[in-house]
Amino acid sequence: MPPTPEDVAPALLATIREEFTRNLGGRERAALLLEQIQSGAGTYRQANEYAQQVGEALADAFRANLSGSVLPDGRMYWNIADRVVRPMLEQDHDLVAAAAEQVQTALNEAAGLGIKAQAVPLDEARVKGFLDRLASEANYDDVAWILGEPVVNFSLAVVDESIRRNVEFQGRSGLRPRVIRRAEARCCRWCSNLAGTYTYPSVPQDVYRRHERCRCTVEYDPGDGRRQDVWSKQWTDAGDSATMEARKTVGLPATGRRFQSEELLQTHFAKHQAEYGTISIPEYLRQAGELADAGASEDVAQLQRSDGSISKYRFSTNDFVVVNADGTIRTFFKPVDKEAYWQYELDRN
């Protein structure tokens, strides 16, 4: 009786994972790059090269252990791909994303930026693209190439996405980071045209993209150390102690409400930014502070909570804020359920 998808998946995953670990562990260059990154001395060039090493090690593991001869009916059924290919792509992503985050953290610290590095989530759409394409062919060997160079490209794209997220986050915080795209030798015309240095916000999205077998590098530069006031649009030098202190609060205004911590502000901004459209961190905080300071009225309802905090809801804008007893802001967002959420707040308190 031929093996079923349920029979082969666990063993295949274990074999491929073991091979991948052995492949990556045997690459001296990968070990050296990771050591540099973890020591805080790595750059995005090292992260890019490390991503390539990880992607190649995984592609080699797929190539050595996957073929039509080991699959039921010679086919990569979707549920096999989901249980074998997906976990390995997730492992690749986790390794590269962690390295990229360590690089960004070190670069932020070196530039005197009190800003947390932005993590890169798994690209679910891209993973699903792998699985759907693998399952679309009756014969796995006809589509085995998908787990070769495209896997390396997937790995490199994690670093590109890390740069994009951090550059855009810092740009919205009042900084003006730069992106440098360097073309590899004998690259195509498309890549040659993209090579150059771009300052936020004038960074084309194509700068972060790469075609198959592209080995161009994308790098991050914190800029000239100056920060722009989001209201006056004036630039101040990083050497100014007041500016350095302001950086620790990610572009917050000099006076007014604060969140409980910088980390909480960044977390809530990242979570609720989409609810406010194209908004910067300072503007998000300004709106939260405005509602926190607003008195009770027909438009603004408020409630003293059992823990001493105060919650407020503005009906006209569907904004909800919680102010701690010490005056700091705990959260600010637009409830999905709108007025029903405020009623729930009243009922539970």
Side-chain angles (χ1 to χ4, degrees):
M1 182 176 180
T4 66
E6 289 71 20
D7 294 332
V8 302
L12 275 176
L13 175 59
T15 300
I16 293 170
R17 179 164 281 152
E18 181 180 352
E19 178 93 7
F20 170 60
T21 301
R22 184 167 55 249
N23 287 349
L24 189 58
R27 290 171 172 255
E28 293 184 10
R29 182 58 181 166
L32 177 60
L33 289 165
L34 187 58
E35 182 180 348
Q36 288 179 313
I37 291 169
Q38 292 178 336
S39 72
T43 67
Y44 269 115
R45 277 201 174 190
Q46 274 81 49
N48 189 84
E49 189 177 351
Y50 177 70
Q52 182 175 336
Q53 293 278 332
V54 172
E56 290 175 350
L58 180 56
D60 287 345
F62 282 139
R63 189 177 301 111
N65 296 281
L66 278 178
S67 67
S69 63
V70 301
L71 294 169
D73 307 319
R75 181 171 189 170
M76 175 66 79
Y77 289 96
W78 199 93
N79 60 339
I80 298 180
D82 189 46
R83 296 171 63 194
V84 175
V85 177
R86 173 186 284 278
M88 296 310 303
L89 291 176
E90 290 174 346
Q91 186 173 346
D92 179 298
H93 168 270
D94 290 346
L95 289 171
V96 178
E101 187 171 354
Q102 288 175 312
V103 166
Q104 186 65 49
T105 296
L107 290 172
N108 286 353
E109 292 175 353
L113 305 179
I115 297 179
K116 184 179 179 181
Q118 301 300 292
V120 181
L122 179 70
D123 189 340
E124 286 287 355
R126 196 160 186 171
V127 172
K128 185 175 183 297
F130 273 98
L131 307 189
D132 289 344
R133 185 69 181 91
L134 288 167
S136 68
E137 295 290 339
N139 187 346
Y140 169 75
D141 292 333
D142 292 339
V143 76
W145 60 270
I146 286 289
L147 296 182
E149 176 59 26
V151 169
V152 181
N153 193 291
F154 169 85
S155 194
L156 291 168
V158 177
V159 179
D160 301 336
E161 180 63 10
S162 175
I163 297 175
R164 186 191 71 79
R165 284 178 171 267
N166 282 280
V167 164
E168 293 187 357
F169 182 81
Q170 292 184 15
R172 292 193 301 268
S173 301
L175 301 173
R176 55 175 189 184
R178 290 196 291 254
V179 177
I180 304 99
R181 179 162 177 140
R182 303 183 192 279
E184 64 171 342
R186 299 181 299 280
C187 65
C188 67
R189 181 177 298 179
W190 185 76
C191 287
S192 295
N193 290 336
L194 279 176
T197 300
Y198 304 86
T199 301
Y200 183 89
S202 301
V203 184
Q205 286 300 307
D206 278 350
V207 167
Y208 304 108
R209 299 188 177 113
R210 60 178 66 245
H211 55 75
E212 189 173 329
R213 301 191 182 281
C214 176
R215 294 295 183 268
C216 295
T217 59
V218 182
E219 300 171 52
Y220 154 92
D221 186 301
D224 62 4
R226 297 197 299 162
R227 182 175 170 278
Q228 186 182 46
D229 184 279
V230 294
W231 290 283
S232 69
K233 303 303 180 184
Q234 296 297 308
W235 294 94
T236 52
D237 292 333
D240 186 316
S241 60
T243 299
M244 292 302 292
E245 187 62 29
R247 277 185 169 178
K248 295 178 182 179
T249 55
V250 200
L252 306 187
T255 60
R257 299 280 184 172
R258 299 287 193 276
F259 267 68
Q260 282 176 285
S261 66
E262 174 193 328
E263 183 176 3
L264 187 68
L265 169 60
Q266 293 189 36
T267 299
H268 280 257
F269 177 73
K271 182 178 180 180
H272 301 295
Q273 175 193 357
E275 299 163 14
Y276 294 87
T278 54
I279 191 174
S280 65
I281 287 183
E283 177 61 17
Y284 173 76
L285 180 61
R286 186 195 69 75
Q287 291 187 27
E290 182 183 30
L291 180 54
D293 292 334
S297 66
E298 290 185 2
D299 190 35
V300 177
Q302 70 177 43
L303 170 70
Q304 182 83 37
R305 292 154 49 128
S306 58
D307 63 356
S309 63
I310 296 174
S311 58
K312 298 185 180 185
Y313 178 72
R314 179 181 281 124
F315 293 91
S316 62
T317 59
N318 185 39
D319 285 320
F320 176 81
V321 70
V322 176
V323 183
N324 296 310
D326 63 2
T328 57
I329 296 170
R330 184 183 304 175
T331 187
F332 177 62
F333 62 94
K334 292 182 181 291
V336 175
D337 296 333
K338 299 185 178 180
E339 293 180 24
Y341 184 89
W342 177 248
Q343 187 60 52
Y344 165 74
E345 178 76 0
L346 295 174
D347 293 344
R348 76 188 184 96
N349 282 281

